[in-house]
Amino acid sequence: ILKETYGIMVYQEQVMQIAGTLAGFSMAEADNVRKVMSKKKPEAMAQLKTKFVEGAVKNSVARETAEKIFDQIAYFAGYGFNKSHSAAYAMITYRTAYLKANYPVEFMAALLTSEKDNSDKIADYINECSRMGLEVLPPDVNESFRDFTVVGSGIRFGLSAVKNVGSGSADSIIASRREGGKFTSLYDFAERVDPKGVNKKVLESLIKCGAFDSTGIRRSQAIAVLDKVLDMAGKAHRDRKSGQISFFDDDANTEAFKGAFGDIPNIPEWPEHELLSNEKEMLGFYITMHPLTRHEKLLNAYSTCGISELASLSDGTDVLMGGLIKKVRITITKRSAEKMAIVTLEDLKSFIDVIVFPKAYKNVSEMVKEDKLVFVKGKLSLKEEDPRIFADDIFPIDKVKELFTRSVLIKVPTANAHKDTMVRMKIVMQRHKGSTPVFIDLLSPEGRRIRLSTDRDLGVHPTDELLSEMEDVVGAGNVKFLAKG
């Protein structure tokens, strides 16, 4: 393979030498010969042949000989370029596949580092890490280096991949850590790290993405005391620079520093949506947890199937899909100049494009926003290479149970259908009393099914709590909220 690739490089150089020596081409013209032949454009090749032959004739080369030499060059170009490139790409493909299969953690860490400035690529590769069972750990001032690094069986997020934290700031943090050991607190960090390399904006970004979580301070608390911390650290740096004995030099411990301006306020952590929103702003995606994680049971109960399973359905199938709106592109139709949207909807495993035509967009425009948790009702299209959904309606995720629940289906293997199980099921139904009917499927070991309908007074109010409590009785995955058609 390497021989083939090297051979074509030698060939290209020889073509340029022949064009210059035989046909009198300049270096730029000779290089153009190589470019035109690699693209194999008939019209350009014909013009090139004419110029080549005429130039060779002027250099006292017989026309027949010149034409024969050019035809030989062109013949080799017809397969030589393809063969050499195929060989080189085959080698790269083999090597990367080998590394991914045999050194998955190291390979993915290197891949993430190579795209650290592209948040979309980073998000895709982290999803791939999740699929491979590899944990990507959040940034940490005490463990992260400039790039993504291997930590045990996981990958630690690189500091320079955090928004507003460049390579210079990352290097300054790492240098201070190597010199004085791990940082014990936000105060310790601010006092030791050179403020020229790590300013307030950098610190805010590190706090928001959780890089100080390992020091024991809440992100809300760190932001609340940041200005005071920087003021005290700034004074310490100035004193040290002027040669004065510093408060820190006398007693370099966090408690003394903290006592100079009062204790950390005992305030609660940011709400989950704010915490995750800040992570996405700083990293380009969610790393602590996905906003959909706490809705996983709801998604499983109401979605027609997972997004990754849609291709197994028939074209034109009515579907109901839950997820997070990852991207929104608003466009204008050519015919009517009306607004429509192309939305990327993701669940916990995959994503799909949702087409919102003008008629639907008028009704759901307020829901078509990035980071919205929604359910989409529409028709599946399998006419393109990748599945798509043509949306009829889009609803907030917390309205789905109310708007779409037709009934609750509970699957019970006959081996478990004894009196104790039925009594426990009834207690759960009564605890969540409502108007939604409940059906019970008794499943035999042979695969036969008997469906029973319960009394009206055992109707339920479909909630996550009902789902969780009933699954405790009959097993995970055996309770399904059936959506309205």
Side-chain angles (χ1 to χ4, degrees):
I1 291 174
L2 293 175
K3 186 177 180 181
E4 287 288 350
T5 305
Y6 177 73
I8 197 64
M9 292 171 64
V10 172
Y11 160 75
Q12 291 176 5
E13 185 178 342
Q14 289 174 342
V15 166
M16 293 174 66
Q17 289 176 346
I18 291 170
T21 304
L22 207 63
F25 281 21
S26 67
M27 287 300 293
E29 290 174 324
D31 187 50
N32 188 52
V33 173
R34 176 187 63 78
K35 291 178 181 178
V36 169
M37 286 187 165
S38 67
K39 293 177 181 177
K40 305 179 186 66
K41 294 182 177 179
E43 300 83 3
M45 287 287 286
Q47 294 174 2
L48 194 61
K49 181 176 181 178
T50 299
K51 187 175 181 179
F52 179 91
V53 172
E54 293 303 325
V57 170
K58 286 182 181 180
N59 283 339
S60 302
V61 178
R63 182 176 295 274
E64 183 179 348
T65 301
E67 289 178 345
K68 184 176 181 180
I69 291 172
F70 186 89
D71 288 342
Q72 288 178 337
I73 293 172
Y75 177 75
F76 182 81
Y79 70 87
F81 284 94
N82 292 346
K83 188 173 182 180
S84 66
H85 282 76
S86 298
Y89 285 130
M91 174 65 83
I92 292 170
T93 301
Y94 171 78
R95 284 175 171 170
T96 52
Y98 177 86
L99 290 171
K100 186 177 181 182
N102 293 279
Y103 302 94
V105 186
E106 292 83 357
F107 176 81
M108 292 307 296
L111 190 61
L112 285 162
T113 296
S114 72
E115 296 287 357
K116 65 183 179 182
D117 296 323
N118 187 332
S119 58
D120 288 340
K121 286 285 189 180
I122 289 290
D124 289 342
Y125 294 154
I126 285 182
N127 286 337
E128 177 65 8
C129 286
S130 178
R131 188 195 67 76
M132 295 167 66
L134 305 178
E135 184 180 11
V136 179
L137 305 167
D140 189 318
V141 293
N142 281 323
E143 277 204 358
S144 293
F145 288 87
R146 181 200 298 180
D147 298 327
F148 289 82
T149 50
V150 175
V151 179
S153 59
I155 299 171
R156 178 65 72 179
F157 205 94
L159 291 174
S160 63
V162 179
K163 185 179 180 180
N164 302 322
V165 183
S167 296
S169 296
D171 290 342
S172 184
I173 293 168
I174 295 163
S176 296
R177 191 174 73 210
R178 283 174 173 161
E179 182 181 349
K182 290 188 175 183
F183 303 106
T184 58
S185 67
L186 178 62
Y187 315 107
D188 182 39
F189 180 95
E191 188 270 331
R192 286 166 51 192
V193 178
D194 186 352
K196 292 180 180 179
V198 180
N199 57 27
K200 181 179 178 181
K201 192 172 185 179
V202 171
L203 269 168
E204 286 178 339
S205 298
L206 290 170
I207 291 168
K208 287 181 177 180
C209 71
F212 284 95
D213 289 0
S214 63
T215 66
I217 194 170
R218 301 183 192 124
R219 300 178 199 184
S220 59
Q221 291 175 313
I223 290 293
V225 301
L226 182 58
D227 286 336
K228 290 183 179 181
V229 168
L230 290 174
D231 285 343
M232 290 298 299
K235 183 179 184 304
H237 283 289
R238 290 191 297 272
D239 289 347
R240 188 181 296 115
K241 191 172 184 181
S242 64
Q244 295 183 34
I245 295 175
S246 169
F247 162 82
F248 296 100
D249 295 328
D250 185 48
D251 187 4
N253 66 69
T254 302
E255 292 304 317
F257 184 37
K258 182 173 66 176
F261 60 87
D263 292 337
I264 298 173
N266 186 21
I267 57 178
E269 184 58 282
W270 291 323
E272 182 183 285
H273 68 87
E274 184 178 354
L275 189 144
L276 295 178
S277 176
N278 284 330
E279 280 189 3
K280 186 176 183 187
E281 181 187 358
M282 294 302 111
L283 305 179
F285 59 96
Y286 307 102
I287 195 165
T288 299
M289 65 175 288
H290 197 287
L292 288 172
T293 301
R294 63 189 180 91
H295 299 287
E296 185 172 6
K297 288 185 177 181
L298 187 67
L299 294 177
N300 292 338
Y302 279 89
S303 296
T304 303
C305 61
I307 289 175
S308 60
E309 301 165 17
L310 284 171
S312 64
L313 303 181
S314 301
D315 182 59
T317 299
D318 290 323
V319 294
L320 184 64
M321 301 301 302
L324 171 79
I325 294 180
K326 185 178 180 181
K327 290 182 184 177
V328 176
R329 182 163 68 90
I330 306 298
T331 186
I332 305 295
T333 60
K334 291 182 179 179
R335 181 176 297 180
S336 60
E338 293 180 286
K339 283 186 178 181
M340 62 170 289
I342 301 173
V343 174
T344 301
L345 183 76
E346 68 173 18
D347 60 13
L348 290 166
K349 294 182 179 179
S350 190
F351 60 89
I352 190 172
D353 281 343
V354 177
I355 313 301
V356 189
F357 289 118
K359 183 178 179 181
Y361 183 76
K362 290 176 183 177
N363 299 322
V364 302
S365 58
E366 286 303 309
M367 291 304 305
V368 182
K369 309 286 185 185
E370 288 187 9
D371 297 325
K372 284 273 191 182
L373 300 175
V374 300
F375 264 82
V376 174
K377 188 174 185 295
K379 287 193 179 295
L380 176 65
S381 172
L382 299 176
K383 293 179 180 178
E384 303 293 333
E385 183 177 349
D386 296 316
R388 297 186 297 171
I389 295 175
F390 295 137
D392 296 323
D393 222 334
I394 300 178
F395 301 86
I397 199 167
D398 57 4
K399 293 288 184 182
V400 171
K401 291 190 292 289
E402 174 186 338
L403 297 173
F404 286 97
T405 303
R406 181 180 78 237
S407 60
V408 176
L409 178 64
I410 304 172
K411 298 177 182 178
V412 183
T414 51
N416 296 336
H418 41 72
K419 184 177 180 180
D420 179 60
T421 300
M422 295 302 176
V423 169
R424 292 173 63 199
M425 288 170 57
K426 184 176 180 180
I427 291 172
V428 173
M429 292 180 208
Q430 291 174 331
R431 189 180 297 133
H432 297 275
K433 202 167 185 62
S435 59
T436 303
V438 177
F439 294 89
I440 299 173
D441 274 0
L442 296 177
L443 307 173
S444 71
E446 295 79 23
R448 288 181 296 175
R449 182 186 69 183
I450 301 173
R451 177 161 296 180
L452 308 175
S453 60
T454 62
D455 293 337
R456 287 187 178 182
D457 62 357
L458 288 177
V460 297
H461 182 58
T463 63
D464 290 343
E465 290 76 18
L466 168 70
L467 189 65
S468 179
E469 290 180 26
M470 193 61 77
E471 285 189 338
D472 285 343
V473 178
V474 298
N478 286 326
V479 182
K480 183 82 171 177
F481 289 1
L482 302 180
K484 295 176 182 178

